[in-house]
Amino acid sequence: MWWFVNGNSSEGHAAVGDVAPPIVGTTLDGQPFDLASLRGRPVVVNFWGPSCIPCRDEFPEFLRELDAHSADGLAIVGVLTDDPPEPARQFVADYGATWPTVIDPNESLKRAYRVVGRPFTWFIDRSGVIRSRQIGGPMTDEEFERHYDKIR
């Protein structure tokens, strides 16, 4: 399923061409997380949940892309939205995902990043500026590369 929103009116929210809003919180494994710690690296932020079938389908793509772009320093960050943590922990463990997934219990990250459906993925360059986004999925290799070329 694909959703579309106005991409340029940020009013304090995520928009292509703007600095990414902060992502500060706790990961599924109980560790503190701050998106600012990844400045200097290309970052993909994926809003997802295990009950979302397209999210589940694109997880292997993220595993492949992380491996393919490891020399670039690619970082992937998941944000769990619309699902409880326990099934997400199990799903991440089953897939062997190594990137952090931040829990968003009050949906403040979902609102800041204007997430209207899952999966919803933002591509952030090394200076912290949002350069692209993918709404819906599952994302293909070609789509990922098209977005990734904007943040290398």
Side-chain angles (χ1 to χ4, degrees):
M1 177 176 293
W2 294 89
W3 299 89
F4 296 95
V5 295
N6 180 349
N8 296 320
S9 175
S10 62
E11 298 179 13
H13 294 91
V16 172
D18 289 350
V19 172
I23 296 177
V24 177
T26 303
T27 63
L28 287 172
D29 60 359
Q31 298 301 307
F33 179 83
D34 186 343
L35 180 63
S37 69
L38 298 175
R39 188 68 56 98
R41 297 173 65 183
V43 178
V44 174
V45 176
N46 175 247
F47 286 80
W48 74 284
S51 70
C52 162
I53 300 304
C55 300
R56 296 172 71 90
D57 291 345
E58 75 182 4
F59 233 73
E61 179 66 26
F62 287 132
L63 288 165
R64 286 189 298 274
E65 298 297 348
L66 190 60
D67 184 54
H69 297 288
S70 62
D72 296 341
L74 171 63
I76 296 177
V77 177
V79 179
L80 178 65
T81 186
D82 300 330
D83 277 335
E86 193 48 46
R89 282 186 193 99
Q90 187 61 51
F91 183 81
V92 166
D94 289 348
Y95 272 85
T98 58
W99 58 87
T101 292
V102 180
I103 302 168
D104 188 19
N106 63 5
E107 298 187 347
S108 61
L109 299 175
K110 181 179 177 179
R111 285 190 302 278
Y113 279 82
R114 301 180 317 147
V115 174
V116 295
R118 300 177 302 172
F120 200 118
T121 306
W122 295 89
F123 291 77
I124 303 168
D125 72 14
R126 295 172 190 274
S127 62
V129 175
I130 297 170
R131 297 296 177 194
S132 193
R133 69 175 182 201
Q134 171 87 18
I135 304 170
M139 193 176 325
T140 66
D141 179 62
E142 293 79 18
E143 289 168 329
F144 185 94
E145 291 302 324
R146 180 173 44 86
H147 294 295
Y148 188 70
D149 283 344
K150 298 175 183 178
I151 66 169
R152 287 181 193 266

